[in-house]
Amino acid sequence: MTPGVAHLVGIGGVGMAALAVLLRSRGWKVSGCDIARSPRTDWLESLGIPVSIGHDASHVAGADMVVVTPAVRPDNPEVLAAKGAMRFRGDVLAELVNSAPDSVAVCGSHGKTTTSTFVAKLLLALGESVEWAIGGETGEFPVAGGSGVLVVEADESDGTLAKYSAKTLVVTNCEYDHPDHFKTPADYFACFDEARGRAKSVVESSSLAPLGFLSSVGAFAALADHNKANARAAVEVALRRGHSPDAIAAALPRAVADLPDRRFEKVAEGVFTDYAHHPTEIRCAVSMARHICRGKLRVLFQPHRYSRTKALLHDFPAAFAGADEVVLCPVYAAFEPPVEGGDIADLYKEMRESGKYAARVLLARSCDEAWEHARNSMAEGDVTLLLGAGNIIALVPRVKSDMSDAAHPPRRILIGQGSNTWKSDLNLSVEYVKTDGPAGESGAKLLAERPGLCPWMAGIPGTIGGWVKMNAGAFGHSISEVIESVKVDGKWIPRDACGFGYRTSAIDGEIQDVRWLDCSCEEGDAASFLARRKKFPAGTKGSVFKNPEGDFAGRLLEEAGAKGMRVGGARVWEEHANVIVCEPGAQAGDFLALARLMRNCVLFRFGVALEPEVRGLGLC
C-alpha cells in the first residue's frame, strides 16, 4: 500500500489501535475516532495519532482510506461518507503482513493473544528486532510497537485469515466458533486451511512434541496446561528461527512472566476476570480458579453473541464443571440482532435441565446485579470469576471500589402483599417493605367492606396499593377509572397528577390510602364477574405481560405456542398462556427465564415485544 491519509472508525478498540500504530510506522498520516475517551485513546494521542470523540462525516474528509470493523454499523455517518475509500481492518492487516519481509501470524480458536504475546516477547528477549500487533496488553507491553519481524494476532472471525500469506503461521487449535460468519464447521475449518496453504512455514501447536529442556525452566513448569501449549508454540517459532535451546531457556521466563490483560487477571482479592466466552476457554478458566479456591467458586458469565450461544448451547453446561455456582448475565449482542434459541434464558434452561451441571445456576437481569450478588455472598476463601468478552469488563472499576468499601446500604422496595411482584433469588441489597394501612390490605377485603364499588374490581387479585401502583384492571376496566385521589407519603395527590397509563403510573413513594369515586356498573354484580374469571392456581403472580395496543397478550402467546413451555419448576398455565405457575422448589430464575422465552416466542412469531405486567421482571 502506498502511504496516504488513513482514518480509523473505532480506533480505541484493541485491534484498531494496533493497526493505527502499524500504519503510522509505515508513513501513513493516521487519525481516528471513537464514542468515548479511554486510556488507549490517550495512549494513541501520546504517540501523535489524533483521536476525535464521537462520529461525524467530516472526520473522513480527505482520507484515502477509512478503516472499519464488522462491528461498525452500515449507517454510521463516517461509513456513509467514506464511499469507495472504506476498507475492513482484517483486510488491511493481512495486506501489511503479506508485504512484510518477515512475519509471524498467530491464529487459532483459542490462545491467539497469549501465544502471539509469548512469541513477540520471546524473540525480543532473544535479541531480535520485533514489531507487533496483538489483541491485548500485557502489563507495560502495549498492543503494538517496535520494528523488525512483524508478529501479529490473526483473527479468523470475519474470514480474513484466509487472505494471510505469512512467512510463519502458528495455529494454536481449531474448534468451531463464530457461527455469525461461518454457517457450518466446514466453512470455519476451510478458512484455516487456506491460511495454511498460503504460509511458507506452519507451526501446529497441537502436534508439537514435548521438549526436555523446558522441564528445567521453572516459569514454564508453573504455567497452566493450556498456557504451556501456548509457550511451547512460541518456543517452536524461536527454534525454527535458529535460536538455541540454552538461549531460549534463559529468555523464556521474561516472555511468559505476565499474561495479557483479561487472561485470568486479578481484579481484587478473591476476584478474577477472564476473556473466556467459548466452552473450551471457560473450562480452562474455571480449572485455574478451582486450583486456587479454598472456599466456594462462583462464576459470573456473560455469553457473547446470540448466534454463538445458540450454536454451542449444549456444550456450555459441562464447561462449568468445578464451579459451585454460576450466575448467568444477559447475552452481549455485539451489534447482532436477537437470534431465536440464543437468549440467556435458553442457556439457563439448558443448564437447569441438561443434567450436565449439578451445582446451583442463577439468572441475573444485568451484570451489575450478578456482581451485587457475588459481593454480598463472598466469604473467606471464596473466588469470584468474571467471564465473558462483552461489557462485563465494565464491572472492574465497580469491583475495585466495592471491595474497598464495606458499606452497601439496601434499597427499599415498597409492596403490598407482593402478589404481583417478582423477587430475585440472588443475594441483592434489597429490603422489601409491606405497605401499612388500607393500601396494604387485599382488594377482596375492600370489596367485602364496600359493596358499592364497581363489581368488576372483584376480578383483580392483590392489594390496594398494588392495584393503584400498576393501574391494575380486569374485564376491560382499569383502577384509575374509579380513583379520586391517592395518599402518597402523607400527601393526597389527585388522579390527574398520578400519571396513570396502561398497567402503570408515575407514583413514586409509599401508597398509604385511596379515595374512591362513587361508581355504578351495568355489566352485572361481583358474583357474575367472578364467574367469568378463571381461578388462578397457587404459585402465580397474575398476568405476566401487558396487553399490547389493539390485541391481547394471552392470544399472542397461545398462538405462538407458549402453552406447555417450562423452565425448571415454572410452567405456563394450561388454562391461560399469559400466566406462569411456580411449582414447589421452583427458583425465581425459572420464572424469569420462562418469561423471557415466552416474550421471545411472540417476538419471533409476530414481531411484537411484550412488556411485563408483573412488577420487577425488568426484561430487556
Side-chain angles (χ1 to χ4, degrees):
M1 291 184 291
T2 302
V5 177
H7 179 78
L8 280 65
V9 183
I11 197 170
V14 62
M16 292 290 272
L19 181 60
V21 174
L22 292 188
L23 289 172
R24 183 175 179 273
S25 70
R26 283 155 177 75
W28 286 79
K29 182 179 179 181
V30 181
S31 66
C33 64
D34 216 311
I35 58 173
R37 193 165 298 283
S38 67
R40 192 169 294 124
T41 61
D42 292 342
W43 172 69
L44 289 169
E45 291 196 313
S46 74
L47 299 178
I49 299 174
V51 177
S52 300
I53 302 304
H55 297 294
D56 192 283
S58 64
H59 293 161
V60 306
D64 301 302
M65 179 171 67
V66 177
V67 186
V68 301
T69 71
V72 177
R73 295 176 60 89
D75 58 356
N76 181 288
E78 295 171 39
V79 170
L80 296 175
K83 299 180 180 178
M86 194 185 80
R87 299 283 307 279
F88 281 106
R89 173 194 171 273
D91 292 320
V92 176
L93 183 59
E95 194 167 337
L96 294 181
V97 169
N98 297 348
S99 62
D102 193 1
S103 61
V104 179
V106 179
C107 65
S109 305
H110 322 294
K112 294 185 290 291
T113 305
T114 301
T115 302
S116 52
T117 298
F118 286 173
V119 170
K121 294 180 75 174
L122 179 58
L123 297 184
L124 281 168
L126 288 166
E128 291 202 40
S129 296
V130 181
E131 183 180 31
W132 67 91
I134 298 172
E137 297 168 323
T138 308
E140 299 301 317
F141 195 69
V143 297
S147 62
V149 54
L150 177 59
V151 177
V152 303
E153 176 181 342
D155 181 21
E156 82 279 9
S157 64
D158 59 358
T160 52
L161 171 63
K163 300 180 180 182
Y164 279 74
S165 298
K167 181 177 180 181
T168 301
L169 182 75
V170 178
V171 184
T172 60
N173 43 63
C174 284
E175 190 173 15
Y176 181 50
D177 198 359
H178 306 292
D180 55 305
H181 184 84
F182 301 100
K183 301 310 177 186
T184 68
D187 294 337
Y188 181 77
F189 299 135
C191 181
F192 284 87
D193 288 340
E194 180 69 20
R196 288 184 177 99
R198 296 167 65 102
K200 292 183 179 180
S201 173
V202 179
V203 174
E204 296 282 356
S205 183
S206 60
S207 62
L208 294 176
L211 294 172
F213 76 87
L214 290 178
S215 61
S216 62
V217 181
F220 179 83
L223 294 172
D225 287 345
H226 61 287
N227 280 328
K228 285 181 180 177
N230 296 334
R232 174 65 182 88
V235 168
E236 185 67 21
V237 171
L239 288 170
R240 294 191 186 188
R241 295 180 68 85
H243 297 284
S244 70
D246 288 344
I248 292 171
L252 190 60
R254 282 173 283 171
V256 302
D258 298 301
L259 294 176
D261 58 342
R262 294 209 62 200
R263 272 64 179 182
F264 207 72
E265 178 184 357
K266 186 174 182 178
V267 176
E269 189 61 39
V271 184
F272 296 80
T273 184
D274 196 281
Y275 188 75
H277 54 284
H278 184 283
T280 297
E281 299 163 353
I282 292 168
R283 188 176 294 108
C284 290
V286 170
S287 175
M288 292 175 71
R290 184 75 269 172
H291 183 70
I292 64 172
C293 182
R294 296 181 290 105
K296 178 177 287 188
L297 174 55
R298 185 173 292 104
V299 178
L300 279 52
F301 175 57
Q302 181 190 41
H304 188 269
R305 289 187 179 270
Y306 301 108
S307 55
R308 179 183 284 110
T309 305
K310 179 178 181 177
L312 304 179
L313 188 70
H314 304 304
D315 299 325
F316 276 110
F320 293 96
D324 298 297
E325 182 177 276
V326 175
V327 185
L328 299 175
C329 307
V331 174
Y332 182 74
F335 302 101
E336 185 181 58
V339 173
E340 188 171 12
D343 190 75
I344 191 60
D346 294 288
L347 179 55
Y348 175 88
K349 176 179 172 67
E350 179 72 14
M351 293 188 67
R352 281 279 280 155
E353 301 176 357
S354 70
K356 299 177 182 177
Y357 181 74
R360 191 182 188 205
V361 57
L362 300 169
L363 183 57
R365 292 169 292 185
S366 67
C367 292
D368 282 307
E369 188 175 85
W371 163 246
E372 184 178 317
H373 164 78
R375 179 198 69 198
N376 293 345
S377 305
M378 288 183 70
E380 181 69 26
D382 286 0
V383 168
T384 297
L385 185 57
L386 280 55
L387 296 184
N391 57 10
I392 192 170
I393 185 60
L395 286 177
V396 169
R398 181 182 175 187
V399 170
K400 292 179 178 179
S401 174
D402 283 358
M403 294 298 283
S404 62
D405 180 10
H408 305 290
R411 305 180 298 280
R412 295 178 78 242
I413 295 180
L414 299 166
I415 61 173
Q417 296 301 313
S419 58
N420 68 335
T421 302
W422 178 85
K423 302 176 186 176
S424 175
D425 41 21
L426 299 179
N427 185 6
L428 303 180
S429 299
V430 173
E431 178 186 6
Y432 290 97
V433 180
K434 291 188 176 181
T435 303
D436 294 327
E441 296 176 352
S442 71
K445 181 180 179 183
L446 171 71
L447 292 169
E449 295 174 349
R450 298 279 301 276
L453 292 177
C454 292
W456 56 264
M457 293 166 68
I460 309 175
T463 61
I464 299 169
W467 282 6
V468 177
K469 195 87 165 187
M470 297 295 293
N471 192 19
F475 306 109
H477 296 279
S478 296
I479 283 296
S480 57
E481 299 171 20
V482 295
I483 285 177
E484 177 191 274
S485 57
V486 181
K487 188 177 183 181
V488 180
D489 293 336
K491 180 181 179 181
W492 285 98
I493 301 174
R495 175 180 60 182
D496 292 346
C498 290
F500 286 117
Y502 177 68
R503 301 296 179 262
T504 187
S505 74
I507 297 173
D508 183 18
E510 180 177 1
I511 298 174
Q512 298 164 322
D513 205 349
V514 182
R515 288 175 179 158
W516 306 97
L517 294 171
D518 293 330
C519 60
S520 60
C521 182
E522 299 178 356
E523 300 177 33
D525 57 16
S528 65
F529 275 105
L530 287 172
R532 291 160 55 192
R533 179 180 181 273
K534 294 182 184 292
K535 182 176 175 58
F536 282 34
T540 73
K541 299 183 183 299
S543 296
V544 180
F545 296 101
K546 301 176 183 179
N547 290 328
E549 186 175 355
D551 211 330
F552 297 95
R555 185 197 74 80
L556 292 169
L557 286 161
E558 184 157 359
E559 287 291 318
K563 280 187 177 179
M565 292 177 65
R566 168 187 287 273
V567 175
R571 73 177 197 277
V572 178
W573 189 27
E574 298 80 3
E575 297 294 321
H576 199 303
N578 195 22
V579 176
I580 291 176
V581 179
C582 289
E583 300 168 350
Q587 295 184 174
D590 298 346
F591 187 103
L592 176 61
L594 183 54
R596 291 184 71 102
L597 295 179
M598 292 164 66
R599 178 207 56 184
N600 287 349
C601 72
V602 170
L603 178 65
F604 289 112
R605 173 75 181 275
F606 300 110
V608 176
L610 296 177
E611 296 182 27
E613 183 166 323
V614 173
R615 183 183 179 196
L617 277 183
L619 300 178
C620 56

